């Protein structure tokens, strides 16, 4: 598929709510990561919390976002995405404004009446109430406002918007911190999401489809939640996976204080925290195939004088190996599902060679042993490509490497 055809497919495949929701997601992420990148320094240097208290409070700010998202999806389904997004951006605007105003004189009576750590902890929970509604609403809109053939691209666009906001947020936070002070980081975050309240109110409409089922009742939501918790296999997987996120979020909870205390007290930590999201965005821009969720099939070079297009790399590489205890005498075949809009009007060719596993360069005696020809239409197709009988490797181990390639 040519680049122009791909653009036309994207233009026709998404409804307006998709673009409105994803543009608003940029500014929501800008406000969140902007606030989060300055929060630890704000708590420690402006409000005089200890390192341990700062870690606990920033953990509350980040952790409650993802915990409350469990319930945010059910609420968003009940309210509708337009109401949920509008309410979320109002809550976020108020929450970020309050965070930036913790040290303000008009909140002095509250600070005197309540322990400061409790007061700050309660305020830091407020953004989670808004974000818990934003996430399911934007993801749900991405699913409903995109056609089937571009839905996977829609999720890639959503992920890209998240990282664009994650890159811009710390940059804006550093600018506000440098020119106006730490408090203004949170006030600018508040302005960002407050503008999105009006953007959604004026331009967003709930995407509807003829086959949409009514949202589940609260009893059904409770049953679904119980199904996630028991049997506990999936819950154990989630608990194991949280280990990664515990380490990941230290860049926001612990790294700013560490840099200011032990490296450079004047360092611009917000700019340092751009790195993660900026790397993701640069990789997407450098590899359009990732954004398009393609398999590399749109990228060919023309061999001089041949008049034919040849794939620059294998679409799918299969490494097959059987241990000595269960030797394999031959390969019976591999079934490959091909999406019609990825490999339209092209031929799949089965290549096989005897080679050590993890061999990076194909030997000169590569040969075609079987292929199938088909023109794709409007449905997925499965190819069952069978290879010839293959010899046993050393010590009774079958080792073979196969590339599924595409030829014009």
């Amino acid at each position: 598929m040519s680049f122009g055809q791909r653009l036309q497919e994207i233009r026709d495949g998404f409804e307006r709510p998709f673009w409105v929701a994803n543009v608003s997601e940029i500014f929501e992420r800008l406000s969140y990561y902007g606030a989060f990148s300055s929060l630890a320094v704000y708590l420690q240097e402006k409000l005089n919390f200890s390192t341990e208290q700062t870690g606990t409070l920033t953990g509350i700010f980040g952790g409650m976002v993802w915990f409350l998202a469990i319930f945010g999806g059910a609420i968003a389904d009940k309210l509708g995405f337009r109401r949920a997004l509008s309410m979320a951006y109002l809550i976020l605007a108020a929450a970020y404004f309050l965070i930036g105003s913790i040290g303000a004189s008009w909140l002095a009576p509250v600070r005197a009446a309540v322990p400061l750590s409790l007061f700050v902890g309660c305020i830091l929970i407020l953004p989670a109430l808004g974000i818990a509604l934003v996430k399911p609403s934007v993801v749900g809109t991405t699913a409903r406002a995109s056609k089937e053939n571009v839905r996977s691209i829609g999720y890639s666009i959503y992920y890209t918007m998240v990282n664009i906001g994650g890159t811009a947020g710390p940059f804006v936070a550093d600018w506000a911190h440098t020119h106006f002070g730490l408090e203004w980081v949170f006030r600018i975050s508040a302005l960002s999401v407050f503008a999105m309240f009006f953007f959604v109110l004026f331009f967003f409409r709930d995407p509807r489809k003829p086959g949409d089922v009514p949202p589940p009742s609260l009893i059904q939501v409770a049953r679904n939640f119980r199904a996630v918790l028991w049997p506990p296999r999936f819950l154990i997987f989630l608990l194991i996976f949280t280990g990664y996120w515990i380490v990941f979020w230290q860049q926001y909870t612990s790294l700013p204080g560490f840099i200011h205390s032990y490296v450079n007290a004047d360092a611009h930590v917000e700019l340092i925290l751009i790195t993660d999201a900026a790397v993701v965005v640069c990789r997407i821009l450098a590899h359009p195939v990732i954004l398009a969720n393609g398999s590399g099939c749109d990228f060919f070079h023309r061999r001089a004088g041949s008049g034919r297009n040849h794939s620059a790399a294998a679409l799918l590489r299969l490494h097959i190996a059987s241990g000595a205890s269960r030797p394999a005498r031959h390969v019976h075949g591999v079934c490959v599902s091909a999406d019609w809009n990825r490999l339209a009007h092209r031929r799949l060719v089965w290549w096989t060679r005897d080679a050590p596993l993890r061999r990076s360069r194909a030997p000169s005696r590569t040969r075609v042993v079987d292929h199938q020809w088909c023109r794709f239409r409007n449905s997925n197709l499965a190819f069952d490509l069978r290879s010839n009988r293959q010899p046993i490797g050393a010590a009774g181990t079958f080792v073979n490497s196969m590339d599924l390639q595409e030829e014009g």
Side-chain angles (χ1 to χ4, degrees):
M1 184 179 293
S2 68
F3 181 70
Q5 289 174 319
R6 175 67 72 186
L7 284 180
Q8 186 61 41
E9 186 181 54
I10 292 174
R11 189 179 297 113
D12 298 337
F14 299 111
E15 302 171 16
R16 188 175 72 172
F18 170 86
W19 298 110
V20 174
N22 279 277
V23 168
S24 75
E25 178 70 7
I26 294 178
F27 290 89
E28 187 276 319
R29 291 289 87 185
L30 182 152
S31 63
Y32 175 77
Y33 284 105
F36 209 176
S37 64
S38 298
L39 181 62
V41 175
Y42 178 64
L43 294 175
Q44 201 163 351
E45 298 180 6
K46 281 288 184 179
L47 301 180
N48 299 317
F49 283 106
S50 66
T51 302
E52 293 78 9
Q53 290 174 316
T54 299
T56 300
L57 291 170
T58 52
I60 290 173
F61 178 81
M64 290 302 293
V65 167
W66 308 112
F67 175 74
L68 292 179
I70 298 172
F71 311 100
I75 297 173
D77 281 339
K78 282 291 184 183
L79 294 176
F81 294 153
R82 184 169 182 265
R83 290 181 183 177
L85 282 173
S86 301
M87 183 184 299
Y89 289 138
L90 273 183
I91 293 172
L92 284 170
Y96 289 134
F97 180 77
L98 283 174
I99 293 174
S101 303
I102 289 175
S105 57
W106 59 276
L107 284 176
V110 181
R111 293 197 303 270
V114 180
L116 184 60
S117 58
L118 178 61
F119 176 53
V120 173
C122 292
I123 290 179
L124 290 179
I125 292 174
L126 294 179
L129 300 176
I131 298 172
L133 292 174
V134 172
K135 285 298 179 185
S137 297
V138 176
V139 173
T141 299
T142 299
R144 291 189 185 181
S146 57
K147 295 180 180 178
E148 185 68 30
N149 62 322
V150 293
R151 189 162 298 159
S152 59
I153 303 176
Y155 288 115
S156 296
I157 292 173
Y158 163 73
Y159 182 64
T160 304
M161 298 298 189
V162 168
N163 283 284
I164 289 173
T167 303
F171 181 82
V172 173
D174 176 75
W175 174 80
H177 182 184
T178 302
H179 290 84
F180 305 108
L182 273 170
E183 294 86 354
W184 274 94
V185 172
F186 304 97
R187 291 167 186 168
I188 289 176
S189 293
L191 287 173
S192 174
V193 286
F194 190 56
M196 290 303 99
F197 165 73
F198 293 103
F199 183 65
V200 168
L201 203 63
F202 292 143
F203 299 107
F204 186 85
R205 294 294 179 269
D206 279 319
R208 300 289 184 188
K209 291 187 176 181
D212 281 350
V213 297
S217 64
L218 293 178
I219 295 176
Q220 185 60 45
V221 171
R223 289 174 181 169
N224 295 340
F225 187 64
R226 185 182 63 182
V228 172
L229 296 178
W230 195 265
R233 182 179 301 174
F234 181 65
L235 183 61
I236 292 172
F237 164 76
L238 292 179
L239 291 175
I240 294 172
F241 195 52
T242 56
Y244 164 77
W245 291 109
I246 289 173
V247 176
F248 176 85
W249 288 115
Q250 295 309 307
Q251 63 181 319
Y252 291 94
T253 59
S254 302
L255 183 62
F258 174 80
I259 291 175
H260 274 198
S261 299
Y262 298 99
V263 181
N264 184 355
D266 299 321
H268 293 247
V269 293
E270 293 92 350
L271 294 181
I272 295 172
L273 294 176
I274 291 175
T275 307
D276 176 65
V279 168
V280 175
V281 173
C282 290
R283 181 170 176 81
I284 291 174
L285 294 177
H287 297 78
V289 63
I290 298 175
L291 181 61
N293 198 30
S295 303
C297 56
D298 289 335
F299 295 84
F300 298 91
H301 66 274
R302 184 172 293 277
R303 181 180 297 176
S306 67
R308 297 177 62 192
N309 287 331
H310 293 267
S311 174
L315 298 182
L316 176 64
R317 174 164 295 170
L318 304 175
H319 294 287
I320 303 175
S322 297
S325 59
R326 299 179 63 186
R329 298 193 178 277
H330 60 275
V331 180
H332 290 285
V334 179
C335 185
V336 180
S337 295
D339 194 345
W340 71 274
N341 67 334
R342 299 285 186 269
L343 305 174
H345 309 298
R346 297 196 178 275
R347 184 174 58 177
L348 298 177
V349 182
W350 187 247
W351 295 56
T352 181
R353 61 182 178 270
D354 298 326
L357 209 59
R358 303 186 184 90
R359 181 164 184 164
S360 59
R361 179 173 294 180
S364 59
R365 292 180 295 177
T366 301
R367 59 195 177 92
V368 176
V369 297
D370 197 8
H371 69 268
Q372 291 192 12
W373 171 277
C374 183
R375 290 189 181 275
F376 295 82
R377 300 196 185 279
N378 293 329
S379 62
N380 290 345
L381 225 60
F383 285 83
D384 187 6
L385 304 178
R386 301 177 184 275
S387 67
N388 295 333
R389 179 170 295 191
Q390 304 296 331
I392 304 296
T397 303
F398 173 85
V399 178
N400 200 27
S401 178
M402 298 178 229
D403 287 351
L404 184 65
Q405 300 220 354
E406 180 187 55
E407 289 192 346

